[in-house]
Amino acid sequence: MKSVFQSIKNLPQDVLDQLDDLITVRKLKKGDFLLKEDQVCSEIVLIKKEF
């Protein structure tokens, strides 16, 4: 995940370490949904498309 933030902006290492402590990586399978109907999102989501 650090490489994603570094590509957005060159952040200091201590900031990257703090972000790394806060981030949870979640992988979804094809056909899975981030949210269910009527569910409110309380997260910031970055989506990386993999083939």
Side-chain angles (χ1 to χ4, degrees):
M1 238 17 223
K2 286 183 184 182
S3 63
V4 172
F5 287 105
Q6 284 177 326
S7 69
I8 297 171
K9 182 171 176 150
N10 193 12
L11 297 173
Q13 186 61 44
D14 61 324
V15 173
L16 290 172
D17 292 339
Q18 290 174 357
L19 286 171
D20 199 40
D21 291 338
L22 299 172
I23 294 171
T24 301
V25 176
R26 183 171 55 165
K27 294 186 178 185
L28 300 176
K29 295 178 185 173
K30 185 174 182 175
D32 286 351
F33 293 92
L34 289 172
L35 299 172
K36 296 179 182 176
E37 187 174 347
D38 296 325
Q39 187 178 6
V40 178
C41 183
S42 61
E43 305 169 318
I44 297 172
V45 180
L46 300 174
I47 299 173
K48 177 182 176 185
K49 185 176 182 179
E50 294 185 11
F51 296 96

